[in-house]
């Protein structure tokens, strides 16, 4: 790995604490792998963005392995990141750039979602699952495939537990929103509701979720709400990233990197960055 740079690409947050938490995550990974050169850049809302991050990673390297520290593959992962890598290949023809898949939502991360749910249920004093609703809350995307990954996790949670209601909601861009799903669960008789944000790091949206839950508590005083923690640093996330680096050829490349249809799709692509 001496002549190889691992470039972690994160989303970026308008709230500085989110980018700080991301940087701390990468710093702890560096401590675990001192023999690796690991760099960090962001897609938006940060000082070091994609083009600069790719240039920094290319300095003194023969290969740059780009690893998206992103849960869902939507416009950022499918369009912006491959385009930036193509520009970097043109600027640094002597460097081999390879793009790995995003984290995704699969068997590796499901235990982390389950852990967050169990923590929330303990906060509610482990209530009867028949009257305790669960809501997985995601960022939301204009890409149906990205939203479907959260829907898959909701189904897995339903299969692995005894809750009669396991729903999904989104913070922005798509529907349903949290308030709508809570109203439905209350109408169907849920006395407690556990809300699990499927987010890597803190930021504006995590703060917004906290404010929404406080309003819901006032709106439904007879219903108990528990809001789980976002993921933050977890060695299972590190293990998944390392698998992307070391087993990337078997796991496949980044979605849309090298896809001949991406240029046509980019013409129609319009991504809203406000997530509102």
């Amino acid at each position: 790995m001496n002549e190889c740079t691992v470039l972690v690409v994160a989303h970026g947050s308008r709230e500085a604490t989110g980018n700080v938490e991301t940087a701390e995550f990468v710093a702890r990974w560096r401590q675990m792998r001192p023999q690796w050169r690991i760099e960090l850049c962001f897609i938006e809302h940060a000082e070091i963005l994609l083009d600069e991050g790719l240039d920094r990673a290319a300095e003194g390297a023969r290969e740059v392995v780009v690893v998206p520290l992103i849960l869902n593959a939507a416009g950022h992962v499918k369009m912006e990141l491959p385009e930036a890598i193509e520009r970097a290949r043109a600027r640094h023809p002597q460097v081999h750039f390879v793009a790995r898949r995003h984290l995704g939502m699969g068997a590796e991360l499901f235990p982390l979602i389950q852990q967050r749910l169990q923590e929330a249920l303990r906060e509610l004093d482990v209530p009867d699952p028949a009257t305790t609703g669960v809501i997985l809350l995601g960022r939301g995307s204009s890409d149906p495939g990205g939203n479907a990954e959260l829907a898959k996790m909701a189904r897995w949670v339903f299969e692995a537990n005894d809750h009669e209601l396991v729903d999904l909601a989104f913070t922005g861009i798509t529907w349903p929103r949290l308030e709508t799903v809570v109203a439905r669960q209350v109408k169907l008789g849920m006395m407690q509701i556990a809300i699990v944000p499927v987010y890597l790091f803190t930021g504006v949206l995590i703060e917004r979720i906290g404010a929404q839950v406080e309003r819901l508590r006032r709106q439904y005083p007879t219903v108990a709400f528990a809001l789980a923690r976002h993921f933050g640093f977890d060695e299972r996330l590190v293990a998944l990233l390392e698998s992307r680096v070391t087993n990337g050829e078997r796991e496949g490349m980044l979605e849309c990197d090298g896809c001949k249809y991406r240029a046509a799709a980019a013409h129609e692509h319009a991504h809203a960055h406000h997530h509102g």
Side-chain angles (χ1 to χ4, degrees):
M1 298 291 291
N2 291 334
E3 295 182 315
C4 174
T5 303
V6 176
L7 178 62
V8 178
V9 177
H11 183 280
S13 172
R14 293 187 297 273
E15 173 56 53
T17 56
N19 294 338
V20 169
E21 187 177 8
T22 308
E24 291 174 348
F25 179 102
V26 173
R28 291 179 67 175
W29 187 18
R30 286 194 194 102
Q31 292 176 351
M32 297 169 64
R33 289 290 184 181
Q35 72 275 28
W36 288 13
R37 179 187 171 192
I38 305 174
E39 301 291 341
L40 170 67
C41 71
F42 297 86
I43 292 175
E44 59 183 351
H45 305 310
E47 182 178 349
I48 302 175
L49 300 181
L50 276 174
D51 287 331
E52 182 179 354
L54 288 161
D55 288 343
R56 289 188 178 197
E59 292 179 6
R62 297 182 61 183
E63 182 178 49
V64 174
V65 179
V66 181
V67 185
L69 183 54
I70 294 174
L71 288 174
N72 294 327
H76 288 314
V77 172
K78 293 181 178 179
M79 299 293 180
E80 295 166 54
L81 184 50
E83 289 168 358
I85 291 172
E86 282 192 358
R87 293 193 298 269
R89 286 169 177 152
R91 292 193 303 272
H92 306 280
Q94 77 283 6
V95 179
H96 176 59
F97 290 87
V98 58
R100 299 308 194 204
R101 293 182 61 82
H102 62 293
L103 293 175
M105 293 191 191
E108 301 90 349
L109 291 189
F110 181 66
L112 183 51
I113 293 175
Q114 277 283 85
Q115 178 181 328
R116 292 293 181 266
L117 172 59
Q118 294 307 313
E119 290 171 354
L121 293 175
R122 286 195 293 272
E123 183 180 330
L124 294 170
D125 299 316
V126 194
D128 184 350
T131 58
T132 304
V134 176
I135 300 174
L136 298 191
L137 181 59
R139 176 183 296 271
S141 169
S142 57
D143 187 297
N147 298 328
E149 292 193 61
L150 185 65
K152 179 178 70 175
M153 290 296 98
R155 184 64 197 183
W156 286 12
V157 169
F158 179 82
E159 296 282 357
N161 299 278
D162 297 321
H163 299 279
E164 293 187 6
L165 283 181
V166 179
D167 290 317
L168 70 161
F170 300 95
T171 309
I173 300 179
T174 192
W175 312 95
R177 301 294 169 82
L178 179 60
E179 294 86 347
T180 301
V181 178
V182 166
R184 171 180 175 269
Q185 291 203 351
V186 172
K187 187 175 182 179
L188 291 173
M190 297 299 102
M191 299 173 64
Q192 302 85 208
I193 298 177
I195 301 169
V196 181
V198 185
Y199 281 76
L200 289 171
F201 304 113
T202 190
V204 170
L205 297 183
I206 291 295
E207 292 182 353
R208 181 187 301 172
I209 291 165
Q212 289 174 335
V213 172
E214 286 304 312
R215 286 195 297 272
L216 289 166
R217 286 176 172 139
R218 293 192 296 269
Q219 184 176 355
Y220 300 100
T222 62
V223 177
F225 291 90
L227 176 61
R229 297 180 294 133
H230 61 278
F231 291 170
F233 183 87
D234 189 281
E235 291 193 359
R236 287 165 289 195
L237 290 172
V238 174
L240 182 53
L241 286 171
E242 293 194 351
S243 176
R244 293 288 186 263
V245 173
T246 59
N247 302 318
E249 292 183 3
R250 292 197 299 271
E251 295 176 351
M253 65 180 181
L254 173 72
E255 292 195 32
C256 299
D257 182 35
C259 174
K260 65 181 181 179
Y261 299 110
R262 198 183 76 242
H267 179 70
E268 302 295 331
H269 174 64
H271 180 76
H273 286 233
H274 55 80
H275 298 291

